[in-house]
Amino acid sequence: MHAVFNFVRGPMAGIAFAVFIIGCLYQMASMWRLARKKDAVVFHYFSLFYALRSIIHWMVPFAALNMRRHPVMTGVTFVFHLCLFAVPFFLSSHAILFKESWDVSWAWLPDGIADIMTLAVMGACLFFLGRRIFLREVRYLTTVSDVLILFCVALPFFSGFWAGQQWPGFPVMTLVHMISGEILLMLIPFTRLRHMLFFPVIRGYMGSEFGAVRRARDW
Amino acid sequence: MTHRPEQPYEIISDIGVEKGAEKLTPERIREVIRRYLEEEGGARLRVYADTCVHCGLCSDACHFFLSNDREPRFSPAGKVKQALLPILRKKGDVSADFIKRATEIAFTECNLCRRCVMYCPFGIDVAYLMLFVRRLSHKLGVVPQYIQDTAHSHAATMNQMWVREDEWIDTLHWQEEEAREEIPNLRIPLEKEGAEIFYSVIGPEPKFRAQLIYQAAVIMNVAGQDWTMPATPGWDNSDMCMYTGDEEMVARLKKKHFETAMRLKTKRIVMGECGHAFRSVHDVGNRFLGWKMAPVPVTHAIEFYSELFQSRKLRVKRKYDIPVTLHDPCNVVRGGGLHELARYVIHETCSRFVEMHPNREHNYCCGAGGGVINCGPPYTHKRVVGSRVKAEQLAEAAAKGARVVIAPCHNCHGGLEDIIKHYGLDLEVKFLGDIVYASIDKEG
Amino acid sequence: MKKFKILPYAALFSVFLLAGTMAAFAQENIEIVHDAAFENQTRPPVAFAHDAHNEKAGIDDCGECHHAYADGEKQMGDDSVGMECSQCHYGKPGQGVADLIRAYHLQCAGCHGERKAGPVLCGECHRRR
């Protein structure tokens, strides 16, 4: 138990962060290089103003027409992504771990709110799973890896909630939580989760093309 | 509620696709695909293909999807899944039957209208991905016969419709003669060096719609424009090669076109009401030639008419009083932002205007664009069936009183006419130029 | 198929074992780790049986936990018994109570981790009632 804990709290956490950061940098760098070689247009037509115009329209809830057409999906997605980012950084336990390891600290969320946000993430995962099962057009597109990724996202939140509530078996769940969270972090650069990296890139490029060349809106 | 077709999809026989596929071997397919991916498969391809999270939110953008009872295989991401992803996943180990199917999807089930780009949260360019498949089909020699024929015409004659040089000149003379009955001193100036404007049209205008050249000549003369048309190849601004994936030909065509403008020392190119040609001249062809924007300024007819009204060079004698509605063509609206100018011209020339919904950037495609109508009769049925939402949208505008639908684009014309006929709508399709011609004061 | 049937029993057994240890622990004479600087407690206070802990851990020297520092050097043979931890471990501007929490965690869980004995997980110390 202690050996496992020491490993996941120490070296593995370091490895997870390293893999995540280096992996993301590698992905961005290799795409940058490939684009330089094969997609020079991306650089030539890039316009910061129109890129930001598009990105902002797609970061503000209900700012794009398709978001208004799917209000439930939009609401769930925004809550999901917000909580997905906020909870890992601003949960008190995590903030304390950062403080312990690197001696930096920031304000953290009250545990009650963090609990609700965690439940929201899990609920959203169920919602997404439901879409994948019940909506024909989504089911048609869904692959095994899509479901696995959803599971990988939900697991750290599920186990974290369990550990936080100290339900029976919580010590094991705490370790499951730590390990699954670290795995999730390492998966980001190498799975579809990298949409986190490429969202601003694609949106920015298309925004530039739509704004500067095609003089049209893209939301 | 759930509609399941008896067959997975309609079996369509196309000689260009069939004969092309017969010549393929697994080795050749693999070799061509691997070389193609190596040479041209860049960051956009990879990022688009790898970032899509299969959320399905693009579906509602696509008229094919909406019109086919939300059949999933017609959704933009569904088409990428069928036509492109297996090629990437299997690194070229796909069968000739797969290539046939992928060709049909990329050429006839997607109008490259880019509406889905506006619905995808990431802005993934499905049109780019479909064009990537089309270029592969081109490299493999599996292309629908009708559109390949127009590409051949481009290659041989530098115009889309096998119009010979003497026929072209003859057509212009003929239209000049006709128009002189209306405006006695009217000219269609050929080869006038140093003219302000090079007026360019698409191949089908001299071939089938010569009255459009007549009308343009009247508008030019009434507005007192210093204009010319070339007597040599290079007059055609259309570009079906852009849609068959023949990028080398795109570059040749646009080079010829721009060089003709430069040879005539014209200050700009004004083009007739064509959407895909505008895409080619404004956005695509210039890139293949290494120009960020067109080397000679390009003005689409919509922009040109609005200029003429704004500067009072054209005056309206009697407003067009049949209620009109406007179809926003993808290539000049999503691709050129001309929607407000089009409305301005309509406001100037028409007394009653009914707005279609959705409109502007969100308008539904006519179903004909992106070279789909050019793939010819084998696909007409599928195309009009895939345009049911367009028919519903048109019917709604008709119910609000519209009798004429203005479509400032040739392909849209063809597409809308087929839709109107198939669904029995009480609408007539007109060009913006038809309305301008009918409403202006020709005495000057 | 047989292999799979063992799992639920194993799980049940671990749960009982766990509940057993928890019950045993709860019966000890409980003291609570206290520091005046903890005004609003985020987590439940930590039960700490001082004498039993030191006996089990074999700690004789008070200064091992109640350490005393001077000029950044740990003073051997000296201790800080009677002082509250927050008297030293509270202060970096803007960091406030986080400093104190850090000191406690490194002191307790840090040692447990090193010695591979004693609780290290959040819920093992900050037990909900």
Side-chain angles (χ1 to χ4, degrees), chain B residues 26 61 219:
Chain B
I219 292 169

Side-chain angles (χ1 to χ4, degrees), chain C residues 56-115:
Chain C
K56 203 171 175 187
I59 301 174
D60 297 324
D61 178 9
C62 300
E64 194 158 340
C65 297
H66 298 275
H67 54 216
Y69 276 78
D71 302 323
E73 297 268 320
K74 189 174 178 197
Q75 304 295 298
M76 299 307 276
D78 197 1
D79 64 51
S80 56
V81 174
M83 285 172 77
E84 288 213 306
C85 301
S86 58
Q87 283 178 266
C88 296
H89 296 283
Y90 199 94
K92 272 196 202 165
Q95 305 265 313
V97 76
D99 268 339
L100 183 59
I101 296 171
R102 179 174 191 251
Y104 269 110
H105 284 175
L106 294 182
Q107 183 82 323
C108 301
C111 185
H112 295 164
E114 268 170 41
R115 296 196 186 190

Side-chain angles (χ1 to χ4, degrees), chain A residues 1-3 5-6 91-93 96 99-106 108-111 115 163-172 174-175 178, chain C residues 15 18 22 42-44 92 94-95 97-102 105-106 109 112-124 126-129:
Chain A
M1 179 83 151
H2 282 89
F5 172 80
N6 285 346
L91 179 74
S92 63
S93 323
I96 291 298
K99 172 74 184 167
E100 282 174 32
S101 297
W102 299 330
D103 202 7
V104 288
S105 80
W106 46 76
W108 57 70
L109 292 163
D111 283 347
D115 280 348
Q165 299 305 312
Q166 297 174 17
W167 287 337
F170 76 85
V172 175
T174 311
L175 291 177
M178 295 169 82
Chain C
V15 169
L18 205 85
M22 278 154 68
T42 327
R43 289 291 159 108
K92 272 196 202 165
Q95 305 265 313
V97 76
D99 268 339
L100 183 59
I101 296 171
R102 179 174 191 251
H105 284 175
L106 294 182
H112 295 164
E114 268 170 41
R115 296 196 186 190
K116 296 196 165 69
V120 285
L121 305 170
C122 311
E124 287 178 312
H126 296 282
R127 304 263 283 307
R128 284 170 191 263
R129 252 128 265 265

Side-chain angles (χ1 to χ4, degrees), chain A residues 27-46:
Chain A
Q27 285 291 346
M28 293 301 268
S30 69
M31 281 305 130
W32 179 281
R33 272 185 48 213
L34 190 57
R36 275 268 170 231
K37 230 163 83 185
K38 304 260 178 73
D39 304 79
V41 283
V42 173
F43 299 96
H44 287 299
Y45 289 87
F46 194 83

Side-chain angles (χ1 to χ4, degrees), chain C residues 24-42:
Chain C
F25 200 37
Q27 275 161 13
E28 281 189 40
N29 190 17
I30 291 174
E31 277 184 57
I32 298 287
V33 173
H34 175 79
D35 194 301
F38 288 125
E39 286 167 352
N40 307 312
Q41 287 173 334
T42 327

